[in-house]
Every structure is written in C-alpha cells, then in structure tokens.
Amino acid sequence: MKFVHKLGAIIWKDFISEFRTKEMILSMCLFSFLVLIIFNFAFGSSPKFDRGMIAGILWVAFVFSGLTGLGRSFSMERDRGTLQGLILCPVSPWTIFLAKLIGVFLFTTVMEIITIFIFAILYNATVLPFLLPLGLITFLGTLGFTAIGTIFSAISATAKARDVLLSILFFPISVPVIIASVKATGIILKGQSLQMVFPWLKILVAFDLIFLLVSYLTFEYIMEE
Amino acid sequence: MLLALYTIFIYAPVEKTMGVIQKIFYIHVPSAFLAYLAFFITFIASIFYLYRKDSKWDTVAHCAVETGVIFCTIVLVTGPIWAKPVWNVWWTWDPRLTTTLILWFTYIAYLMLRRAVKENQRANLSAVFGIIGFINVPITFFSIRLWRTIHPVIITSRGLNMSGPMKFSLIITFIAFCFLFFSLLLSRIRLERLKMRFAEINEIMDEMNFKK
C-alpha cells in the first residue's frame, strides 16, 4: 500500500466512526456557539464592540471547541481499546500522526465555518468581503494548534485526568500561534491594509513548520509502550 | 563546600549594592539566565534520553526542570517587587513578562505530566514535552528585541549595557548563583538516584519476605 492509501484508510476509519455517532462534530459546534454567547454576557451586549476584541472572542471559541475535538482524537481509541490495534498496524507512527491531524483538522474546520457565520450574525461583524484572508489565517492558525494538540492528545491519552492534562499542556505551547492568529484576525476585521497582516502570517507559518517538524521527529517515541 | 558557596551568595550582593531597590537586579537577572540554562539542560537531556534510552538522562531532565522552575519563580516574584516602585504597577501585560509567565506554566505542565502518566511511559512522554516546551525559551529571550516593550535590554551585541562596578557585581552574583544552581541541581539528582535505589532495595526486601 502506498503512503497516501494508508493515510486515507485511517482518516476514513475516523470519519465513518464519527458519522455513526456524530457526537464530536455536534458537541464542538454547540460548544463554540455557547462560547460566543457566554462572551456576550461577560462583556455586556453593547452594540459597538472593539473589532480587535471580537477577534479574540472568535479565536477563544475556535480553540476551546477545537480542544474538545483534540481530546477525543486519541482518547476514543483508548476507550474502545483500538489504540493497540492502531499501533500494531503496518504503518509508520508519522502516518498515524498525520492521519489523526488531518481528521481533527477537517472536523475543526467544519466547526469553524459554522462558527464564523454565527459569529458574524451575533457580533454584527462584516466577514463576507474578507473571506479569503480570514480563511488563510484560520487555515494556518488551525493547522498550528491542531498539530501541537494532536501530539498532546497522544501524550495525555493514557494519563490520569487526561482532559485537564491536555489543556495544561496545550495552552502554554500554543500561545504564540493563538496570539498571532488573533492579531491577524483583528487587523482584518478592522479593515486595515493586508500589509500589516504579513508579519503575523510569517509567525504563523514559522510555528506551523516548527510544530510539524517537532512532531515528525518525536511522535514515534510517544507511541512506544 | 556548600557552606562556602552560601557565604559567597550572601556576601557578594551586600558588598556591591548601589541603591536600595535596584539591588533586586542582582537576583533577578542571574535567576532568569539560570532558568533558561536549566530548561536548555532539560532540552539537551531529553534529546539524549530519546537517543540513548538511558534513564540517567531522564533524571537529569526532570531535576533540571524542578530547579529551573524554582529560578523562574524567583524571577517572577522579584520582578513585580522591583516593578512596583519603578513602573508603579506590580504587573503589566508586557511581552517579556507575559512570555516569562507562559514559560513558567510550560514547565509546571511538564511536572504535572510526570505525575499523571504511567511509569512505563513517563520518561518518553516527558522527554518529548521537554523538547517541545523548549520552543518557548527563545521566544522569551528574544521577546524584548522582537516587540516594543518597557523591559530593559541588558545584553546587546556590544556587551553588557551598564556601568563598570555594576557589571562587576553582576558577574560576582552571577557566578555565586551558578554555584547555587549547580549545587541544587546535583543534590536533586543525587536525591533522585537514592530514591531509585531505595525503591530497588524495597523490591528485593519484598521478594525476600515473600519467599519466607
């Protein structure tokens, strides 16, 4: 089997098991919807929010509900006892990592597309003219935090109190990516020029590459028993 | 030996003080550097562990994190004490301060991870985290150069950015803090080794009792 076929097989398996229950994608979407509403209560429903601040709200919704998906990515394998089977598959650990990453990334992207439209309605933000740059920022930011989150999901899958552990591990490391995404999104939502976004995009690309490289080098050790 | 080190550590800053509140500087700066050094040791030891699979390196990484967290805590405690009279606030959300706090959280997370995972996976997983976590150290170090910030830059490309006597006393305290750091680190490693041997002896004792 070729690398792409192996990759596809694992992703397809995750998709089938997800579509049978739909619990992950539903809970992620509902959770991000709730985060948007809770922020509205927290800051009072003033009609004129600062554009930079609502970028932060959007990303908190993305990251928090993305984290619920990340937590399930490996822990569901453990709960069903299929983690051993996955490790025993004749594929490299890097393939497993990449398949899990792509799976979580796609689920998170679906959640984000839904969230961004709810967000545009609730916070009265003009999103439609900026869909392309926003999409690029969201793509890079999501790739960054799901890449690092997938590693930590695998690390914490076998641990005690794994959900808490995952957040404790995840947030300090993913902070640079989240800051860069929030700043870039804020600049776009304020309607400022795209020139100002480039330094942040560079940071995002750099961190995406660092995270992917580190996971390529270390993932096989996580899978060792 | 240890007593002598402590005398240097207490003696030097008292001798060379210039001003009252600025004195914290001599604790603040060396601690920050030693925290970075500790995390760098963890980074290197983690790589060696994954490469060689020798539990010695895992012990070194673990103990370096503990020592580093102590020094990082010193930085985070002395910083606000110094900032209150000088900047008139305890804390500002300045890039340097924020990144240092995140660094502290990163290595607290390392210690939490060690406690949470099973023994057969502990060394591997924490070594991986020790490597990933090190990403935050260069960010913290260069944060005052990358972004606009009110935190002063001490080390420039032209050397230390301060007057002669201050430079001298900083070097003295720096050396003293290095001694403190390494004595703490080494005694922590020794303690960990003793713990391991104790566990081994306990096991042997249990076996012997079982045979009776």
Side-chain angles (χ1 to χ4, degrees):
Chain A
M1 272 211 313
K2 270 193 242 157
F3 178 74
V4 184
H5 290 154
K6 292 174 183 170
L7 201 65
I10 302 176
I11 299 171
W12 189 238
K13 167 197 80 70
D14 276 357
F15 265 80
I16 290 173
S17 65
E18 172 58 29
F19 280 119
R20 282 186 188 146
T21 57
K22 297 181 191 67
E23 57 183 8
M24 192 156 111
I25 194 81
L26 273 177
S27 57
M28 276 165 83
C29 290
L30 273 176
F31 187 63
S32 70
F33 193 4
L34 281 171
V35 169
L36 292 180
I37 290 172
I38 287 166
F39 268 108
N40 190 52
F41 289 136
F43 293 128
S45 51
S46 68
K48 198 70 192 158
F49 273 116
D50 178 18
R51 297 284 139 192
M53 197 169 89
I54 62 173
I57 295 172
L58 182 66
W59 274 94
V60 168
F62 283 177
V63 172
F64 274 30
S65 35
L67 195 64
T68 56
L70 285 166
R72 299 215 21 96
S73 169
F74 273 91
S75 61
M76 79 178 179
E77 301 275 359
R78 197 192 90 134
D79 289 347
R80 296 172 191 160
T82 49
L83 191 59
Q84 293 292 339
L86 199 61
I87 295 169
L88 288 173
C89 279
V91 292
S92 66
W94 172 242
T95 319
I96 298 176
F97 171 79
L98 217 54
K100 282 287 179 192
L101 170 61
I102 293 170
V104 172
F105 181 79
L106 290 177
F107 288 137
T108 314
T109 310
V110 171
M111 176 274 293
E112 283 171 346
I113 291 168
I114 296 169
T115 306
I116 206 160
F117 284 109
I118 297 174
F119 166 80
I121 294 164
L122 286 182
Y123 287 88
N124 199 19
T126 35
V127 172
L128 283 174
F130 310 121
L131 270 189
L132 203 67
L134 271 185
L136 181 66
I137 295 165
T138 312
F139 174 80
L140 291 173
T142 311
L143 183 64
F145 85 75
T146 48
I148 204 71
T150 307
I151 304 177
F152 293 151
S153 172
I155 286 182
S156 60
T158 55
K160 287 176 281 181
R162 61 188 174 215
D163 296 324
V164 183
L165 186 69
L166 175 61
S167 350
I168 288 173
L169 298 178
F170 173 77
F171 283 113
I173 308 288
S174 61
V175 152
V177 172
I178 297 172
I179 290 174
S181 314
V182 169
K183 292 285 182 190
T185 313
I187 290 169
I188 296 278
L189 287 179
K190 279 179 197 157
Q192 286 165 329
S193 76
L194 291 177
Q195 291 290 318
M196 293 174 69
V197 182
F198 283 120
W200 295 110
L201 283 185
K202 271 187 223 159
I203 295 179
L204 277 178
V205 172
F207 272 98
D208 287 358
L209 291 178
I210 291 173
F211 288 160
L212 286 174
L213 181 72
V214 168
S215 46
Y216 176 67
L217 294 174
T218 57
F219 197 72
E220 60 179 302
Y221 300 108
I222 298 171
M223 287 286 105
E224 268 174 22
E225 284 287 315
Chain B
M1 181 75 180
L2 209 65
L3 196 73
L5 300 178
Y6 275 93
T7 348
I8 297 166
F9 159 61
I10 291 162
Y11 169 80
V14 174
E15 172 87 323
K16 309 292 179 194
T17 313
M18 326 175 67
V20 182
I21 194 67
Q22 202 264 332
K23 190 175 162 180
I24 281 184
F25 171 79
Y26 301 116
I27 300 172
H28 187 74
V29 176
S31 307
F33 274 97
L34 289 168
Y36 297 151
L37 179 69
F39 299 142
F40 184 66
I41 292 173
T42 307
F43 177 63
I44 297 296
S46 300
I47 291 174
F48 269 102
Y49 176 77
L50 290 182
Y51 191 63
R52 292 268 169 81
K53 296 281 165 193
D54 187 346
S55 68
K56 182 176 75 186
W57 291 112
D58 179 51
T59 315
V60 171
H62 175 206
C63 299
V65 168
E66 283 193 353
T67 322
V69 165
I70 292 171
F71 279 88
C72 201
T73 312
I74 294 174
V75 174
L76 285 170
V77 170
T78 53
I81 296 172
W82 191 10
K84 182 64 185 165
V86 179
W87 294 343
N88 203 25
V89 279
W90 293 110
W91 184 266
T92 65
W93 289 100
D94 177 83
R96 193 32 156 334
L97 278 62
T98 314
T99 47
T100 310
L101 186 64
I102 290 165
L103 191 68
W104 185 79
F105 271 116
T106 308
Y107 285 94
I108 293 287
Y110 178 97
L111 297 176
M112 295 287 287
L113 175 69
R114 285 197 79 93
R115 292 168 60 117
V117 295
K118 277 186 241 141
E119 210 146 307
N120 57 343
Q121 285 186 307
R122 182 176 294 156
N124 259 346
L125 296 185
S126 48
V128 169
F129 192 74
I131 292 169
I132 298 172
F134 188 72
I135 295 169
N136 276 343
V137 175
I139 296 175
T140 309
F141 185 76
F142 290 111
S143 60
I144 45 175
R145 291 158 190 83
L146 288 175
W147 291 292
R148 264 176 301 159
T149 162
I150 54 174
H151 192 285
V153 180
I154 302 294
I155 295 174
T156 59
S157 50
R158 282 162 290 142
L160 294 171
N161 191 6
M162 61 181 107
S163 69
M166 282 166 77
K167 204 186 286 181
F168 179 70
S169 48
L170 179 69
I171 291 167
I172 294 283
T173 41
F174 188 73
I175 294 167
F177 259 74
C178 276
F179 277 118
L180 175 70
F181 171 78
F182 282 108
S183 64
L184 273 176
L185 182 62
L186 292 176
S187 56
R188 184 67 189 82
I189 292 172
R190 211 177 60 218
L191 178 66
E192 199 62 31
R193 291 249 173 88
L194 287 173
K195 254 189 200 168
M196 279 179 191
R197 271 187 58 198
F198 180 72
E200 275 170 29
I201 293 167
N202 242 354
E203 257 173 43
I204 296 167
M205 291 282 279
D206 280 350
E207 268 173 36
M208 281 163 72
N209 282 341
F210 189 68
K211 273 171 194 164
K212 273 181 205 167

